[in-house]
Amino acid sequence: MYADALENVTVRRASDGRQVWSRKIGDDIAWRPAVTADTPFVGGDVMRAVNLKTGKDRWVLEPQGRRGFNTPVIIDGILYASDYGRGVWAVGPKTGKKIWLCEDLGGGRYAPETFVRVGDHLYGASGPYNDGGIYAMERKTGKVRWLYNDNKSNMEQWNIAAAGKRLLLSHGDEIYGLTAL
């Protein structure tokens, strides 16, 4: 499965590369989709769960007056995605129902775009913005516990990886290690 710059989503059979289906989604789908066993999730103007076999929508989540969605990720059976309005969503992947929406990222800070989980907390890394960073959030409620920002104005992407109770962060040329909550 892949998305292209013409706003199409295409699924090909892995065994021979033949196209199964292709569909114009009509959203800004430049982001990478998340995929479970039989359902891809595509961000854009709305969040879509698509039937992998048919290409038809299983569900569509509107951003409730906010701007569209960034790249989704599935962690332990929950779909997480940030939106362009600087919020983070937790969504039930089978139903498309919002579990929580965190709008309290600290006064206009950019929302995380990638996520990892350690214990009961979700950690998110923002994009290449000076006022983003690494967020620690309660996984069940979305409450922000802390934000780490190195205050370097380098416009580089924040990256995060987890190993046990340790977080490895990078921002431009800098690498940091933090202990997870």
Side-chain angles (χ1 to χ4, degrees), residues 83-99:
D83 63 37
Y84 297 115
R86 300 179 182 184
V88 175
W89 297 65
V91 176
K94 291 185 190 282
T95 63
K97 300 286 185 209
K98 176 180 73 174
I99 298 169

Side-chain angles (χ1 to χ4, degrees), residues 18-145:
R18 294 185 69 193
Q19 182 175 305
V20 177
W21 56 263
S22 184
R23 175 175 164 211
K24 184 169 283 299
I25 296 291
D27 289 340
D28 173 11
I29 55 171
W31 302 99
R32 298 168 304 278
V35 182
T36 61
D38 64 349
T39 306
F41 302 90
V42 182
D45 294 338
V46 297
M47 181 66 67
R48 293 177 189 278
V50 181
N51 183 309
L52 191 58
K53 292 181 181 176
T54 66
K56 298 200 183 319
D57 289 339
R58 291 183 188 263
W59 54 258
V60 174
L61 177 64
E62 297 285 338
Q64 300 177 346
R66 303 171 68 82
R67 294 174 28 214
F69 295 94
N70 286 313
T71 303
V73 65
I74 302 282
I75 300 174
D76 295 330
I78 303 295
L79 182 136
Y80 298 99
S82 61
D83 63 37
Y84 297 115
R86 300 179 182 184
V88 175
W89 297 65
V91 176
K94 291 185 190 282
T95 63
K97 300 286 185 209
K98 176 180 73 174
I99 298 169
W100 52 257
L101 168 60
C102 173
E103 299 177 282
D104 184 25
L105 296 177
R109 294 198 175 269
Y110 280 92
E113 296 178 5
T114 59
F115 300 92
V116 297
R117 176 187 167 249
V118 177
D120 290 332
H121 293 89
L122 185 68
Y123 298 87
S126 73
Y129 310 108
N130 294 337
D131 62 351
I134 303 295
Y135 296 86
M137 306 172 76
E138 292 180 6
R139 185 173 57 93
K140 292 183 180 179
T141 65
K143 179 181 177 187
V144 175
R145 296 288 304 274

